[in-house]
Amino acid sequence: MALTALGVIAAFASVIVVDPLFGTIRTEWGLLGELLESYIVQPGFGLVAACYIWWRDGYNPLDRIQTPSLEGIAWIGFIPIGYEMAVRAVTPVLPMVGLSHSTHGGTATWRVFLDHPEIIVPGLVIMFAVMAPMEEILYRGVVHDALEPAIGSLGRVLIGGLLFGGMHLFLSGGVVSLLLTSIFGVLAAGGYERTENLTVPIIAHAGHWLMFTPI
């Protein structure tokens, strides 16, 4: 819980510190700057994860970044697709309980890449090698692993997913954001728990950014 709270605080700090930098990049290279501005909170997550790893001498979740197995590859595909299916199933029910869900606007990232191939390489590096790892190392690596001594496998998946959703309650806003991102969190935590491989949720998360919308 404390790590999640620190992640939220660091994310807000990241907005303040990183936003001017991304704004400068957008001035010089518009499309790349626009892409970066979609991931403005992730540097804060990365800072919290790095500080925790430094504080926990001898603990390094980066050891769990490995080549995925066949099961891992299946999870990489299932996590974003399963999440999108869940969102489509839940969204029509929301008005019945007085809630609504507005989807992210704009053009899908892969379409932007097709129209502007000059940003494909830096864009993929930003998503897959920088931003997704910073978020997943904190919430699937550090937070999930911190739950391991206290509760069992199912508890880690559920609580870890809810903590991930709880972070979005403050950053994205609203109960609907909490609900939907908790679904993604549970799926990502399930994939990580099954494979013990951080590469799985990292690629799944970045893959969702590429094919669908930011989470």
Side-chain angles (χ1 to χ4, degrees), residues 40-62:
I40 202 166
V41 300
Q42 278 74 21
F45 298 152
L47 178 62
V48 172
C51 290
Y52 182 81
I53 294 168
W54 173 79
W55 176 69
R56 283 280 306 275
D57 188 36
Y59 168 74
N60 188 4
L62 300 182

Side-chain angles (χ1 to χ4, degrees), residues 6-152:
L6 285 173
V8 171
I9 294 169
F12 281 117
S14 179
V15 171
I16 296 171
V17 174
V18 175
D19 185 50
L21 173 62
F22 287 180
T24 301
I25 294 174
R26 184 173 182 176
T27 301
E28 298 297 326
W29 194 352
L31 285 171
L32 186 63
E34 288 180 17
L35 179 66
L36 282 168
E37 287 176 353
S38 298
Y39 312 113
I40 202 166
V41 300
Q42 278 74 21
F45 298 152
L47 178 62
V48 172
C51 290
Y52 182 81
I53 294 168
W54 173 79
W55 176 69
R56 283 280 306 275
D57 188 36
Y59 168 74
N60 188 4
L62 300 182
D63 293 338
R64 292 191 175 189
I65 297 179
Q66 304 160 0
T67 302
S69 63
L70 287 177
E71 181 182 2
I73 293 171
W75 274 102
I76 288 170
F78 173 71
I79 291 168
I81 294 172
Y83 171 71
E84 285 298 314
M85 292 175 63
V87 169
R88 283 161 174 72
V90 170
T91 298
V93 180
L94 295 176
M96 300 178 188
V97 293
L99 299 172
S100 63
H101 171 52
S102 58
T103 57
H104 294 277
T107 306
T109 304
W110 68 270
R111 291 186 179 275
V112 176
F113 284 170
L114 284 181
D115 293 337
H116 303 276
E118 70 275 11
I119 67 167
I120 290 177
V121 172
L124 291 176
V125 170
I126 288 166
M127 291 190 296
F128 283 85
V130 181
M131 299 305 181
M134 284 195 283
E135 189 163 350
E136 289 299 324
I137 288 169
L138 176 60
Y139 284 97
R140 241 58 66 185
V142 169
V143 172
H144 189 98
D145 288 354
L147 295 170
E148 190 166 347
I151 55 179

Side-chain angles (χ1 to χ4, degrees), residues 4-5 45 68 82 87 134 136 143 151 156 169 171 175 184 189-190 195:
T4 302
F45 298 152
V87 169
M134 284 195 283
E136 289 299 324
V143 172
I151 55 179
R156 288 194 295 274
L169 173 65
L171 298 181
V175 175
F184 185 92
T195 62

